[in-house]
Amino acid sequence: MVAPWFFGGGAQAALLGIAQKLHAAGAETTLIVLFAGSTGVDVMRPHFARVVELNCSKSPAGVLAAARTVEPHLSEVDAVYSLMRGSHLVLGLRAKTLLPSGRPFVATFHQLPSADSAGLRGWAEDVLVRRAVRRATLVTAPLPRAVEELCAAGFNEPQRIVYEPNALAPVSEPPVAPRVGELASVRLFFAGRLTEQKGLDRIAALLAEVDRPVELRIAGAGPEEKRIREAVVGLPQRHTVTFLGELEDVRAQIDWCDALFMPSRAELNPMFLWEGRQRGRGALTSPIPAFRDLAKDGGVILSAENGSIAQAVHRLAVDEDTRGKWFHDLQVVAGPLADPEAPSRIVTGLTEASTPQNEEEATGRGVLILHGYSAENAGDGLLVRETISLVREAFGHIPITLVAARPETFLDLDVVTLPAVPTKRGWDPRTRSVLKGINGFDAVIAVGGGYLRAGTLVETLKAALVHGPQLLAASRASVPTLYLPQSVGPVRPGMRSLLRRRLSKIDCVMLRDDRSVDEFSGPTVMRMPDLATAAVVRGRRPGSEVAPVPVLSIRAVHGRVNPDIYRLAERLGEYDGYIQSTTGGNDDRPAASTLSPLRTVPRTELMGSTGAPRVVVAVRLHAALMALAAGHYVVHLAYERKGFGAFGDLDLDPWVHNVNRFDPVRVSEQVNVLLTDADIRAEYDARIESASVRIEAARAAIVDRVRTMRGSA
């Protein structure tokens, strides 16, 4: 494992996580530190069998010396891992000698390539960095934006460049809950190397316009420390800045603060931000591209474009709900990164050549999953996870590649993710390459859902641009193909024959509602329940009592909310809200904001396993099905054919209505009966129990169908 230096930053923490996983896998590791001046090497020593410090100078001559002196240490190893651009640069000087073909070599980038490549020096360095990185069997970066840049710049073949999040160290101490109420003063905390990149030299200007007192603590050391200390001398007395020096453990300070403070000029995916998320703390950051990307997951308040943090500090102080949501949601987001059992592509890339898990896994070409959408739409995320579960059940731990509209939302899964939505420059080259080489997979499987629609011009364009190339590639594939339970349509008359012709080329198309079967029947079509119904019958554990307040979850349908929804809300009186999807054109928050719930129930609460069952009125089908799986009683206001199909499969036909023409009085009466009548709830549960036999049998048949695909590849 080759690194240029260590100063206690995120790259060092990431390498430590990889070293621990390699040790667990039985690998003996040597750490080589190329350049002199590191302050973080001693922390790393206990985690390596051997540590070698070459102590070369940080100069062109030192780079040449490092390339020569590192050779004997690499000559006998089974695999090489290069941590940062500085080590790629050194290895690139003598790439063929230091990185012979046939030996696993993995390279990781911890900064955006565009930032490192700027200027004449960056261009010159890139020549050598590419010489090394193009010999890599795997290239990783901890942010999708960096992956895109690496592909666009041609650092390696697109299929070898993947997102790999940095691992977090597991912690046993529970995090401290945030302060409640409006904050008289705001506590901010920064930890990291004190360099110009981190932007702390701007503290005086950033805090000058902030009226509310700020308590800022700074942990770390570095070349800019003196300048930063000088910058805070003239701050207004209402603000305090405390320098803590270098800290080995920052958890107590994270628990103390209201938010992390990161006014950086440049970042990729800082470990410090994830350490905060791990303990339920968000961050107040500069509006640079990396933080804009990370803000999509929540937990980030961006400062104004002009750099002012006054509005961000005010929001942090007065918005107790945001701080509370951070505490609950961000721990869930960060949790998989602290799982010591979680798979690592880096570790696999370094060890798989010498220690394949089994013959099946070593020779498998893998499965391609098409038509994924976004995990931010919880229903579509559920269908992707169900699809992966089917594949794993049928094939074992075979490699999986997922094409999805929002691939970054599925990064917690042990799959390669590729984007499905074209940009102004066209389709991502990795996705084009995968679709072009589709016959290199063992099987091609499409997730379930309702994405093959062309009822309006907008739907037609979306389907043509995003899903058309995937369907075209699958229909031309010579390997086995399967489309999991779908709703196809509505489709404009001119498109129906084209879509039917393409689907007829798929080996098996499963449809989840009778209307789709009527419109697209054929020898390769079969009727099957929505995959999410299996999650309902497997996971449902109803309780004997229900909470007295119902839940209303809505969305806009074709750009509007049916006025009868508001009449229903008025008849319900007191109710809670719930938001199922927050992504792109499927963002339910604008529609939900037109209601007046007592509160908005977070997903972790409604879909969790604690608390009494609720009575839920849901417009989105998968909000309804996930609520059923969590033990709730649901009245579904369906806006598409899929809702009637799923509730019919569950034998819950009386509790599904057309959202565009339902009777608010009848629905409110059904809600009231489910709230008050234990016998009706018992009947509801009995219907699902009766349907479970059919649904489980259908799922088993799907698994069998998937299992046969590989044998016929």
Side-chain angles (χ1 to χ4, degrees):
M1 306 183 81
V2 185
W5 45 67
F6 289 115
F7 294 105
Q12 176 174 333
L15 184 67
L16 183 57
I18 296 165
Q20 291 170 334
K21 289 179 180 289
L22 283 168
H23 178 74
E28 183 177 284
T29 53
T30 296
L31 174 63
I32 303 171
V33 186
L34 299 174
F35 299 107
S38 293
T39 60
V41 176
D42 288 342
V43 176
M44 308 295 285
R45 292 186 189 279
H47 303 281
F48 291 86
R50 190 166 66 107
V51 174
V52 177
E53 294 183 81
L54 301 184
N55 289 318
C56 297
S57 64
K58 297 175 188 175
S59 65
V63 172
L64 291 169
R68 290 193 303 269
T69 54
V70 77
E71 181 179 354
H73 301 289
L74 298 183
S75 60
E76 301 298 328
V77 299
D78 296 315
V80 175
Y81 177 60
S82 181
L83 179 64
M84 290 186 282
R85 179 183 173 91
S87 46
H88 310 339
L89 176 68
V90 168
L91 296 176
L93 273 172
R94 306 174 68 213
K96 290 185 179 180
T97 301
L98 299 177
L99 304 168
S101 58
R103 183 172 67 181
F105 168 49
V106 178
T108 295
F109 286 77
H110 283 278
Q111 291 288 356
L112 282 174
S114 58
D116 282 330
S117 301
L120 181 61
R121 177 178 175 178
W123 175 85
E125 288 181 350
D126 270 356
V127 174
L128 298 176
V129 171
R130 279 195 181 87
R131 287 178 64 185
V133 174
R134 283 177 176 165
R135 303 183 75 83
T137 50
L138 183 71
V139 182
T140 76
L143 194 71
R145 182 184 293 268
V147 171
E148 293 171 5
E149 289 189 4
L150 289 165
C151 290
F155 278 87
N156 205 314
E157 297 298 321
Q159 62 269 25
R160 292 185 178 182
I161 305 175
V162 302
Y163 168 90
E164 173 81 352
N166 292 331
L168 291 169
V171 294
S172 56
E173 301 86 347
V176 176
R179 296 191 291 167
V180 298
E182 183 172 341
L183 305 177
S185 64
V186 171
R187 299 173 178 175
L188 300 178
F189 175 54
F190 169 88
R193 185 157 167 76
L194 303 185
T195 63
E196 185 180 15
Q197 172 198 340
K198 298 300 182 180
L200 290 173
D201 57 287
R202 302 178 292 187
I203 287 178
L206 293 173
L207 292 180
E209 299 179 5
V210 179
D211 295 330
R212 195 172 301 254
V214 170
E215 303 172 64
L216 172 61
R217 294 182 179 179
I218 298 174
E224 291 291 303
E225 182 173 349
K226 180 180 178 182
R227 185 180 175 192
I228 297 167
R229 286 181 178 273
E230 291 172 350
V232 305
V233 171
L235 280 175
Q237 290 186 350
R238 62 180 175 274
H239 303 313
T240 61
V241 179
T242 304
F243 290 84
L244 305 176
E246 293 189 74
L247 299 178
E248 189 170 323
D249 189 343
V250 297
R251 285 174 291 182
Q253 300 301 324
I254 293 175
D255 289 342
W256 166 84
C257 75
D258 303 308
L260 310 185
F261 182 49
M262 305 187 71
S264 308
R265 292 183 170 92
E267 292 284 1
L268 182 55
N269 193 351
M271 182 70 78
F272 178 47
L273 181 138
W274 286 96
E275 290 173 332
R277 289 181 167 186
Q278 188 180 23
R279 302 195 71 76
R281 294 298 191 271
L284 192 162
T285 76
S286 54
I288 60 175
F291 289 138
R292 290 189 180 279
D293 290 344
L294 291 163
K296 296 173 184 176
D297 292 331
V300 174
I301 298 179
L302 299 165
S303 59
E305 290 293 341
N306 63 6
S308 172
I309 66 170
Q311 186 176 358
V313 170
H314 175 76
R315 176 184 167 189
L316 183 63
V318 302
D319 195 346
E320 176 186 3
D321 289 342
T322 290
R323 300 195 304 270
K325 183 175 176 58
W326 283 354
F327 186 69
H328 292 289
D329 292 356
L330 295 182
Q331 293 182 66
V332 175
V333 172
L337 303 185
D339 181 2
E341 302 299 323
S344 165
R345 291 194 184 100
I346 294 173
V347 173
T348 301
L350 292 169
T351 60
E352 63 182 2
S354 56
T355 56
Q357 292 185 15
N358 52 57
E359 184 178 351
E360 180 92 352
E361 190 168 329
T363 59
R365 294 176 293 173
V367 171
L368 175 63
I369 297 178
L370 297 176
H371 301 291
Y373 180 48
S374 169
E376 291 176 350
N377 182 317
D380 293 278
L382 172 65
L383 289 178
V384 168
R385 283 165 170 77
E386 285 292 316
T387 302
I388 292 172
S389 176
L390 284 172
V391 172
R392 298 285 194 224
E393 188 173 339
F395 289 169
H397 200 78
I398 193 171
I400 293 176
T401 299
L402 168 67
V403 178
R406 295 287 304 278
E408 71 277 7
T409 65
F410 295 106
L411 296 176
D412 60 314
L413 305 178
D414 181 21
V415 300
V416 175
T417 57
L418 299 174
V421 179
T423 65
K424 292 180 181 179
R425 294 178 293 180
W427 275 64
D428 187 286
R430 295 169 297 164
T431 310
R432 289 201 308 268
S433 176
V434 161
L435 294 182
K436 185 177 179 180
I438 197 168
N439 291 330
F441 290 90
D442 288 306
V444 177
I445 298 176
V447 300
Y451 44 81
L452 295 179
R453 301 191 303 270
T456 66
L457 180 59
V458 172
E459 286 181 345
T460 303
L461 290 173
K462 284 183 177 180
L465 287 172
V466 177
H467 300 290
Q470 298 177 71
L471 175 58
L472 181 62
S475 67
R476 292 175 172 176
S478 60
V479 296
T481 53
L482 167 66
Y483 271 52
L484 291 171
Q486 308 276 308
S487 290
V488 182
V491 178
R492 306 173 76 140
M495 291 290 295
R496 184 169 297 171
S497 60
L498 175 62
L499 191 54
R500 183 184 288 114
R501 191 160 56 249
R502 284 294 125 207
L503 288 172
S504 69
K505 307 282 187 187
I506 304 298
D507 294 334
C508 179
V509 178
M510 297 177 176
L511 299 178
R512 62 184 180 179
D513 68 272
D514 296 336
R515 188 173 175 184
S516 294
V517 173
D518 290 341
E519 294 177 357
F520 293 91
S521 60
T524 64
V525 169
M526 65 172 59
R527 173 72 163 86
M528 281 288 183
D530 188 303
L531 279 185
T533 60
V536 171
V537 300
R538 282 185 278 125
R540 183 173 174 80
R541 297 291 185 272
S544 57
E545 302 294 334
V546 293
V549 178
V551 177
L552 178 57
S553 176
I554 72 169
R555 65 157 295 177
V557 178
H558 300 305
R560 65 185 288 271
V561 177
N562 182 353
D564 284 334
I565 292 282
Y566 303 117
R567 298 185 182 97
L568 171 62
E570 185 176 354
R571 293 190 63 86
L572 293 178
E574 292 187 342
Y575 60 90
D576 288 337
Y578 170 71
I579 295 172
Q580 173 76 359
S581 179
T582 60
T583 183
N586 285 299
D587 193 339
D588 297 341
R589 288 173 292 188
S593 68
T594 64
L595 295 175
S596 300
L598 295 175
R599 67 188 186 99
T600 298
V601 182
R603 183 177 301 164
T604 52
E605 178 182 330
L606 187 65
M607 303 309 180
S609 58
T610 60
R614 307 292 295 267
V615 176
V616 179
V617 180
V619 176
R620 284 194 180 273
L621 171 61
H622 289 104
L625 295 180
M626 291 173 70
L628 286 171
H632 305 304
Y633 298 89
V634 180
V635 181
H636 177 36
L637 304 181
Y639 59 93
E640 288 180 341
R641 58 188 71 181
K642 60 186 180 181
F644 293 93
F647 266 60
D649 289 332
L650 288 164
D651 198 18
L652 297 177
D653 305 81
W655 292 279
V656 58
H657 309 270
N658 188 324
V659 71
N660 296 311
R661 50 177 185 275
F662 71 95
D663 182 355
V665 175
R666 183 183 176 195
V667 172
S668 65
E669 288 175 349
Q670 285 186 322
V671 170
N672 185 58
V673 169
L674 287 170
L675 286 170
T676 59
D677 193 328
D679 291 338
I680 294 299
R681 293 197 298 272
E683 178 191 342
Y684 195 106
D685 293 330
R687 284 171 173 263
I688 296 176
E689 181 66 26
S690 175
S692 67
V693 177
R694 301 189 304 273
I695 290 172
E696 288 285 20
R699 187 184 185 281
I702 295 174
V703 173
D704 286 343
R705 181 81 190 212
V706 173
R707 190 173 286 122
T708 62
M709 294 174 70
R710 193 174 187 189
S712 56

